[in-house]
Every structure is written in C-alpha cells, then in structure tokens.
Amino acid sequence: MEKGDIFILSAAHQSQYVGKQIKILNDEVDKQISYVGELICIRTIKEACNPMYLFSLLNLDLFKTLLNREKTGQTSHIYGKDIKKIKIPLPPIEKQNEIAEHIQAIRDKAKQLQDEAKKVLDEAKIEVEKLILSN
C-alpha cells in the first residue's frame, strides 16, 4: 500500500453498503497491513491524476450513484473492470492539484472547527457539572 491509495468497499451482503465507504491512505505505510473484507484499491498515476482529486470526486453523491449502477451479483459486488467504465473528468494535473489543495484546506478547517467545538463542549460540561455539584 502507498500513500494516496484509494479503497472502496467492493462486496457486501447488503447492497447499500457496496461503494458507500471510500477511504484514502493519507500517510506513508512503514509496516505490513492486513484487512478483512473485499476492497478495491485504486492507485493513480500521480503525473496524470491527483489521488485527493479522484478521492474527492468518488465521494460525491453523483459518483457514488455511478458506482452503485455497476454493482452485480446476488451478493453485491463492484469489480475493478466496472469502475474503469465510469468516466472521470480529468483537467490538467495543475488544475487537479489546485482543486485538491482547496478541498484539503476546507477539510483541515472543518477538522479545526470540529476540534474547537469539542473543546468548548467539554469545557461547558465541566462548568455544568460544577454548577450541579455546588448546589
């Protein structure tokens, strides 16, 4: 596995789960990793397709619908050959990089706000607890 690999849940007994979970490996892997389940690993050619750009597209409802249309079998499956049928808009790599950086900045800001909100909530819980215990 490499940083930037994209993983899609490719089989499940309940079809609504197939293609819904899409994850990207954000860090370098320094040891062997094992996983249980049927996953498809997508590795881009970095000079042609920014992995974060592709990951962001695949997480859009539109592309999840397109993935959903490719499911086959009694136990729903998506296969690599079927995913290759989905047309992906590929602007020049410079534009993909710009889009990916913008999306990452939004994700980073959202994470920062989420962390701040958790801190405020934790502090509020402590204050409420103090008020309750002081009465």
Side-chain angles (χ1 to χ4, degrees):
M1 289 184 231
E2 295 179 9
K3 181 178 180 176
D5 283 354
I6 299 167
F7 297 93
I8 301 174
L9 180 62
S10 64
H13 291 289
Q14 295 180 342
S15 67
Q16 69 264 26
Y17 296 115
V18 177
K20 286 241 178 177
Q21 289 297 315
I22 303 172
K23 302 294 182 187
I24 189 166
L25 188 60
N26 286 320
D27 300 312
E28 295 293 333
V29 179
D30 58 353
K31 58 185 172 185
Q32 290 285 18
I33 295 177
S34 298
Y35 51 86
V36 178
E38 293 187 47
L39 299 173
I40 290 178
C41 176
I42 298 173
R43 182 171 297 150
T44 66
I45 299 169
K46 307 253 186 321
E47 298 79 26
C49 183
N50 181 303
M52 183 55 75
Y53 168 81
L54 179 59
F55 171 70
S56 299
L57 279 180
L58 292 174
N59 268 294
L60 294 173
D61 287 340
L62 170 66
F63 284 94
K64 286 188 176 187
T65 298
L66 293 173
L67 279 172
N68 190 26
R69 289 181 181 172
E70 297 301 327
K71 289 188 247 182
T72 59
Q74 186 175 6
T75 304
S76 292
H77 281 82
I78 298 175
Y79 297 98
K81 65 180 176 53
D82 300 321
I83 291 174
K84 287 181 180 180
K85 293 177 190 174
I86 297 171
K87 303 291 185 205
I88 302 290
L90 283 178
I93 191 68
E94 297 80 19
K95 190 64 170 174
Q96 292 178 47
N97 292 340
E98 180 183 326
I99 292 168
E101 287 169 14
H102 180 69
I103 290 168
Q104 191 59 53
I106 292 170
R107 288 176 189 264
D108 292 345
K109 183 65 175 176
K111 176 71 171 129
Q112 176 193 351
L113 292 171
Q114 190 176 38
D115 291 345
E116 289 173 13
K118 184 181 181 324
K119 182 181 176 189
V120 169
L121 182 60
D122 289 343
E123 290 170 357
K125 285 179 184 178
I126 292 168
E127 290 300 315
V128 169
E129 199 172 289
K130 283 180 186 176
L131 289 171
I132 292 171
L133 294 176
S134 68
N135 286 333

Short mmCIF file of all heavy atoms in Angstrom, two decimals, residues 19-61:
data_model
loop_
_atom_site.label_atom_id
_atom_site.label_comp_id
_atom_site.label_asym_id
_atom_site.label_seq_id
_atom_site.Cartn_x
_atom_site.Cartn_y
_atom_site.Cartn_z
N GLY A 19 -19.68 0.28 -2.20
CA GLY A 19 -19.36 1.56 -2.83
C GLY A 19 -19.64 2.78 -1.96
O GLY A 19 -19.31 3.89 -2.35
N LYS A 20 -20.22 2.58 -0.79
CA LYS A 20 -20.52 3.72 0.08
C LYS A 20 -19.30 4.18 0.85
O LYS A 20 -19.12 5.37 1.07
CB LYS A 20 -21.63 3.35 1.08
CG LYS A 20 -22.97 3.28 0.43
CD LYS A 20 -23.88 4.26 1.05
CE LYS A 20 -25.21 4.16 0.33
NZ LYS A 20 -26.19 4.99 0.85
N GLN A 21 -18.49 3.24 1.28
CA GLN A 21 -17.30 3.59 2.05
C GLN A 21 -16.11 3.72 1.10
O GLN A 21 -15.71 2.75 0.46
CB GLN A 21 -17.01 2.53 3.11
CG GLN A 21 -18.01 2.52 4.24
CD GLN A 21 -18.00 3.83 5.01
OE1 GLN A 21 -16.95 4.37 5.34
NE2 GLN A 21 -19.18 4.34 5.32
N ILE A 22 -15.59 4.93 1.02
CA ILE A 22 -14.42 5.20 0.20
C ILE A 22 -13.43 5.93 1.08
O ILE A 22 -13.76 6.94 1.69
CB ILE A 22 -14.79 6.06 -1.03
CG1 ILE A 22 -15.88 5.36 -1.86
CG2 ILE A 22 -13.55 6.35 -1.88
CD1 ILE A 22 -16.45 6.20 -2.98
N LYS A 23 -12.24 5.37 1.20
CA LYS A 23 -11.22 5.94 2.09
C LYS A 23 -9.93 6.14 1.30
O LYS A 23 -9.68 5.46 0.31
CB LYS A 23 -10.94 5.00 3.27
CG LYS A 23 -12.16 4.69 4.12
CD LYS A 23 -12.66 5.92 4.84
CE LYS A 23 -13.85 5.59 5.71
NZ LYS A 23 -14.47 6.72 6.30
N ILE A 24 -9.12 7.07 1.78
CA ILE A 24 -7.81 7.32 1.16
C ILE A 24 -6.74 7.13 2.22
O ILE A 24 -6.95 7.49 3.39
CB ILE A 24 -7.73 8.72 0.52
CG1 ILE A 24 -6.45 8.88 -0.31
CG2 ILE A 24 -7.87 9.81 1.55
CD1 ILE A 24 -6.44 10.08 -1.24
N LEU A 25 -5.63 6.57 1.83
CA LEU A 25 -4.50 6.39 2.74
C LEU A 25 -3.70 7.68 2.72
O LEU A 25 -3.08 8.03 1.72
CB LEU A 25 -3.65 5.20 2.28
CG LEU A 25 -2.55 4.75 3.21
CD1 LEU A 25 -3.09 4.33 4.56
CD2 LEU A 25 -1.79 3.59 2.58
N ASN A 26 -3.74 8.41 3.83
CA ASN A 26 -3.10 9.73 3.90
C ASN A 26 -1.65 9.70 4.33
O ASN A 26 -0.95 10.70 4.20
CB ASN A 26 -3.88 10.65 4.85
CG ASN A 26 -5.18 11.11 4.25
OD1 ASN A 26 -5.24 11.43 3.07
ND2 ASN A 26 -6.22 11.12 5.04
N ASP A 27 -1.20 8.60 4.89
CA ASP A 27 0.15 8.53 5.42
C ASP A 27 0.96 7.44 4.74
O ASP A 27 0.40 6.50 4.18
CB ASP A 27 0.11 8.26 6.94
CG ASP A 27 -0.64 9.35 7.69
OD1 ASP A 27 -0.34 10.53 7.44
OD2 ASP A 27 -1.51 9.01 8.51
N GLU A 28 2.27 7.57 4.83
CA GLU A 28 3.15 6.50 4.35
C GLU A 28 2.98 5.29 5.26
O GLU A 28 2.77 5.43 6.46
CB GLU A 28 4.61 6.96 4.38
CG GLU A 28 4.93 8.09 3.42
CD GLU A 28 4.81 7.71 1.96
OE1 GLU A 28 4.99 6.53 1.62
OE2 GLU A 28 4.55 8.61 1.15
N VAL A 29 3.06 4.12 4.69
CA VAL A 29 2.93 2.89 5.46
C VAL A 29 4.32 2.33 5.68
O VAL A 29 5.05 2.07 4.72
CB VAL A 29 2.05 1.87 4.71
CG1 VAL A 29 1.93 0.58 5.49
CG2 VAL A 29 0.68 2.46 4.42
N ASP A 30 4.68 2.14 6.96
CA ASP A 30 6.02 1.64 7.25
C ASP A 30 6.01 0.18 7.71
O ASP A 30 7.03 -0.35 8.11
CB ASP A 30 6.71 2.52 8.29
CG ASP A 30 5.95 2.62 9.59
OD1 ASP A 30 4.81 2.11 9.65
OD2 ASP A 30 6.48 3.21 10.54
N LYS A 31 4.85 -0.46 7.66
CA LYS A 31 4.76 -1.88 8.02
C LYS A 31 3.65 -2.52 7.22
O LYS A 31 2.82 -1.84 6.60
CB LYS A 31 4.52 -2.03 9.52
CG LYS A 31 3.28 -1.36 10.02
CD LYS A 31 3.16 -1.46 11.51
CE LYS A 31 1.99 -0.59 11.98
NZ LYS A 31 1.88 -0.54 13.39
N GLN A 32 3.62 -3.84 7.25
CA GLN A 32 2.58 -4.58 6.53
C GLN A 32 1.23 -4.33 7.17
O GLN A 32 1.12 -4.24 8.39
CB GLN A 32 2.88 -6.08 6.54
CG GLN A 32 4.06 -6.47 5.71
CD GLN A 32 3.75 -6.45 4.22
OE1 GLN A 32 2.78 -5.84 3.76
NE2 GLN A 32 4.58 -7.09 3.45
N ILE A 33 0.20 -4.23 6.36
CA ILE A 33 -1.16 -4.04 6.86
C ILE A 33 -2.03 -5.15 6.31
O ILE A 33 -1.93 -5.50 5.13
CB ILE A 33 -1.72 -2.67 6.41
CG1 ILE A 33 -0.92 -1.54 7.03
CG2 ILE A 33 -3.20 -2.55 6.77
CD1 ILE A 33 -1.36 -0.17 6.58
N SER A 34 -2.87 -5.69 7.16
CA SER A 34 -3.84 -6.69 6.74
C SER A 34 -5.23 -6.14 6.96
O SER A 34 -5.46 -5.34 7.86
CB SER A 34 -3.67 -7.98 7.56
OG SER A 34 -2.42 -8.52 7.36
N TYR A 35 -6.18 -6.57 6.14
CA TYR A 35 -7.55 -6.18 6.35
C TYR A 35 -8.44 -7.33 5.93
O TYR A 35 -8.06 -8.18 5.13
CB TYR A 35 -7.91 -4.89 5.60
CG TYR A 35 -7.57 -4.88 4.13
CD1 TYR A 35 -8.44 -5.39 3.19
CD2 TYR A 35 -6.36 -4.34 3.69
CE1 TYR A 35 -8.12 -5.38 1.85
CE2 TYR A 35 -6.04 -4.32 2.35
CZ TYR A 35 -6.93 -4.83 1.43
OH TYR A 35 -6.61 -4.82 0.11
N VAL A 36 -9.61 -7.37 6.53
CA VAL A 36 -10.59 -8.41 6.23
C VAL A 36 -11.73 -7.75 5.48
O VAL A 36 -12.22 -6.71 5.88
CB VAL A 36 -11.11 -9.07 7.52
CG1 VAL A 36 -12.16 -10.11 7.21
CG2 VAL A 36 -9.95 -9.67 8.31
N GLY A 37 -12.12 -8.34 4.41
CA GLY A 37 -13.20 -7.79 3.61
C GLY A 37 -12.75 -7.63 2.18
O GLY A 37 -11.57 -7.81 1.87
N GLU A 38 -13.69 -7.35 1.35
CA GLU A 38 -13.37 -7.18 -0.06
C GLU A 38 -13.29 -5.69 -0.38
O GLU A 38 -14.28 -4.99 -0.33
CB GLU A 38 -14.41 -7.88 -0.92
CG GLU A 38 -14.36 -9.39 -0.75
CD GLU A 38 -15.27 -10.13 -1.71
OE1 GLU A 38 -15.24 -9.80 -2.91
OE2 GLU A 38 -15.99 -11.01 -1.25
N LEU A 39 -12.08 -5.27 -0.67
CA LEU A 39 -11.82 -3.88 -1.01
C LEU A 39 -11.17 -3.81 -2.38
O LEU A 39 -10.42 -4.70 -2.76
CB LEU A 39 -10.86 -3.24 0.00
CG LEU A 39 -11.31 -3.18 1.45
CD1 LEU A 39 -10.16 -2.66 2.31
CD2 LEU A 39 -12.51 -2.29 1.60
N ILE A 40 -11.44 -2.75 -3.06
CA ILE A 40 -10.72 -2.45 -4.29
C ILE A 40 -9.76 -1.33 -3.95
O ILE A 40 -10.14 -0.35 -3.30
CB ILE A 40 -11.67 -2.02 -5.42
CG1 ILE A 40 -12.50 -3.21 -5.89
CG2 ILE A 40 -10.91 -1.39 -6.58
CD1 ILE A 40 -13.50 -2.87 -6.96
N CYS A 41 -8.52 -1.49 -4.37
CA CYS A 41 -7.52 -0.45 -4.17
C CYS A 41 -7.29 0.24 -5.51
O CYS A 41 -6.99 -0.41 -6.51
CB CYS A 41 -6.21 -1.05 -3.66
SG CYS A 41 -4.88 0.17 -3.52
N ILE A 42 -7.46 1.55 -5.51
CA ILE A 42 -7.20 2.35 -6.71
C ILE A 42 -5.93 3.14 -6.45
O ILE A 42 -5.84 3.88 -5.48
CB ILE A 42 -8.37 3.31 -7.02
CG1 ILE A 42 -9.65 2.51 -7.29
CG2 ILE A 42 -8.02 4.22 -8.19
CD1 ILE A 42 -10.88 3.37 -7.44
N ARG A 43 -4.96 2.97 -7.32
CA ARG A 43 -3.71 3.72 -7.23
C ARG A 43 -3.58 4.52 -8.53
O ARG A 43 -3.55 3.96 -9.61
CB ARG A 43 -2.54 2.77 -7.06
CG ARG A 43 -1.20 3.48 -6.91
CD ARG A 43 -0.10 2.52 -6.53
NE ARG A 43 -0.40 1.94 -5.22
CZ ARG A 43 -0.02 0.72 -4.85
NH1 ARG A 43 0.67 -0.05 -5.67
NH2 ARG A 43 -0.32 0.26 -3.65
N THR A 44 -3.50 5.83 -8.38
CA THR A 44 -3.44 6.67 -9.58
C THR A 44 -2.00 6.77 -10.09
O THR A 44 -1.05 6.52 -9.36
CB THR A 44 -3.93 8.10 -9.27
OG1 THR A 44 -3.03 8.72 -8.36
CG2 THR A 44 -5.33 8.10 -8.70
N ILE A 45 -1.89 7.13 -11.35
CA ILE A 45 -0.59 7.52 -11.91
C ILE A 45 -0.46 8.99 -11.55
O ILE A 45 -1.18 9.84 -12.09
CB ILE A 45 -0.55 7.30 -13.44
CG1 ILE A 45 -0.77 5.82 -13.74
CG2 ILE A 45 0.75 7.82 -14.02
CD1 ILE A 45 -1.03 5.53 -15.21
N LYS A 46 0.39 9.28 -10.59
CA LYS A 46 0.43 10.60 -9.95
C LYS A 46 0.68 11.75 -10.94
O LYS A 46 0.24 12.86 -10.71
CB LYS A 46 1.48 10.62 -8.83
CG LYS A 46 1.31 9.49 -7.82
CD LYS A 46 0.78 9.95 -6.52
CE LYS A 46 0.71 8.94 -5.41
NZ LYS A 46 0.34 7.62 -5.57
N GLU A 47 1.35 11.47 -12.04
CA GLU A 47 1.61 12.52 -13.04
C GLU A 47 0.36 12.85 -13.84
O GLU A 47 0.27 13.91 -14.47
CB GLU A 47 2.72 12.10 -14.00
CG GLU A 47 4.07 11.88 -13.35
CD GLU A 47 4.19 10.52 -12.65
OE1 GLU A 47 3.48 9.57 -13.03
OE2 GLU A 47 4.98 10.43 -11.70
N ALA A 48 -0.64 11.95 -13.80
CA ALA A 48 -1.85 12.16 -14.60
C ALA A 48 -3.08 12.45 -13.75
O ALA A 48 -4.01 13.11 -14.21
CB ALA A 48 -2.12 10.92 -15.45
N CYS A 49 -3.09 11.95 -12.49
CA CYS A 49 -4.28 12.10 -11.66
C CYS A 49 -3.88 12.25 -10.19
O CYS A 49 -3.25 11.36 -9.63
CB CYS A 49 -5.20 10.89 -11.84
SG CYS A 49 -6.73 11.02 -10.91
N ASN A 50 -4.29 13.36 -9.59
CA ASN A 50 -4.04 13.62 -8.18
C ASN A 50 -4.97 12.71 -7.36
O ASN A 50 -6.19 12.75 -7.54
CB ASN A 50 -4.31 15.09 -7.88
CG ASN A 50 -4.06 15.46 -6.45
OD1 ASN A 50 -4.64 14.88 -5.54
ND2 ASN A 50 -3.21 16.45 -6.25
N PRO A 51 -4.41 11.89 -6.45
CA PRO A 51 -5.26 10.97 -5.68
C PRO A 51 -6.34 11.68 -4.86
O PRO A 51 -7.47 11.18 -4.78
CB PRO A 51 -4.27 10.25 -4.76
CG PRO A 51 -2.93 10.48 -5.33
CD PRO A 51 -2.99 11.73 -6.13
N MET A 52 -6.03 12.82 -4.26
CA MET A 52 -7.03 13.54 -3.45
C MET A 52 -8.14 14.08 -4.34
O MET A 52 -9.31 14.10 -3.95
CB MET A 52 -6.37 14.66 -2.64
CG MET A 52 -7.34 15.40 -1.74
SD MET A 52 -8.27 14.36 -0.58
CE MET A 52 -7.00 13.99 0.62
N TYR A 53 -7.79 14.50 -5.54
CA TYR A 53 -8.79 14.96 -6.51
C TYR A 53 -9.76 13.81 -6.83
O TYR A 53 -10.98 13.97 -6.75
CB TYR A 53 -8.10 15.48 -7.78
CG TYR A 53 -9.02 15.72 -8.94
CD1 TYR A 53 -9.77 16.89 -9.02
CD2 TYR A 53 -9.16 14.78 -9.96
CE1 TYR A 53 -10.63 17.12 -10.08
CE2 TYR A 53 -10.01 15.01 -11.02
CZ TYR A 53 -10.75 16.17 -11.09
OH TYR A 53 -11.60 16.39 -12.13
N LEU A 54 -9.20 12.63 -7.17
CA LEU A 54 -10.03 11.48 -7.51
C LEU A 54 -10.86 11.04 -6.31
O LEU A 54 -12.05 10.76 -6.43
CB LEU A 54 -9.17 10.32 -8.02
CG LEU A 54 -9.93 9.05 -8.39
CD1 LEU A 54 -10.96 9.33 -9.48
CD2 LEU A 54 -8.95 7.97 -8.82
N PHE A 55 -10.24 10.97 -5.14
CA PHE A 55 -10.95 10.59 -3.92
C PHE A 55 -12.14 11.53 -3.67
O PHE A 55 -13.24 11.08 -3.36
CB PHE A 55 -9.97 10.63 -2.74
CG PHE A 55 -10.62 10.46 -1.39
CD1 PHE A 55 -11.14 9.24 -1.01
CD2 PHE A 55 -10.69 11.53 -0.52
CE1 PHE A 55 -11.75 9.09 0.24
CE2 PHE A 55 -11.27 11.38 0.73
CZ PHE A 55 -11.81 10.16 1.11
N SER A 56 -11.91 12.82 -3.84
CA SER A 56 -12.98 13.80 -3.62
C SER A 56 -14.12 13.61 -4.63
O SER A 56 -15.29 13.71 -4.26
CB SER A 56 -12.41 15.21 -3.70
OG SER A 56 -11.44 15.39 -2.69
N LEU A 57 -13.78 13.33 -5.87
CA LEU A 57 -14.82 13.08 -6.88
C LEU A 57 -15.62 11.83 -6.52
O LEU A 57 -16.85 11.84 -6.58
CB LEU A 57 -14.20 12.88 -8.27
CG LEU A 57 -13.82 14.11 -9.06
CD1 LEU A 57 -13.22 13.70 -10.40
CD2 LEU A 57 -15.01 15.03 -9.28
N LEU A 58 -14.91 10.75 -6.18
CA LEU A 58 -15.58 9.48 -5.89
C LEU A 58 -16.50 9.59 -4.67
O LEU A 58 -17.44 8.80 -4.54
CB LEU A 58 -14.56 8.36 -5.69
CG LEU A 58 -13.79 7.95 -6.93
CD1 LEU A 58 -12.70 6.95 -6.58
CD2 LEU A 58 -14.72 7.39 -8.01
N ASN A 59 -16.25 10.55 -3.80
CA ASN A 59 -17.10 10.73 -2.62
C ASN A 59 -18.32 11.60 -2.88
O ASN A 59 -19.17 11.75 -2.00
CB ASN A 59 -16.28 11.30 -1.45
CG ASN A 59 -15.73 10.18 -0.60
OD1 ASN A 59 -16.48 9.46 0.04
ND2 ASN A 59 -14.42 10.03 -0.61
N LEU A 60 -18.42 12.18 -4.07
CA LEU A 60 -19.62 12.94 -4.42
C LEU A 60 -20.79 11.98 -4.62
O LEU A 60 -20.61 10.87 -5.12
CB LEU A 60 -19.39 13.75 -5.70
CG LEU A 60 -18.36 14.87 -5.63
CD1 LEU A 60 -18.12 15.45 -7.02
CD2 LEU A 60 -18.80 15.95 -4.66
N ASP A 61 -21.99 12.44 -4.27
CA ASP A 61 -23.18 11.59 -4.45
C ASP A 61 -23.32 11.11 -5.89
O ASP A 61 -23.70 9.97 -6.14
CB ASP A 61 -24.45 12.34 -4.02
CG ASP A 61 -24.56 12.47 -2.51
OD1 ASP A 61 -23.90 11.70 -1.78
OD2 ASP A 61 -25.30 13.36 -2.05
#
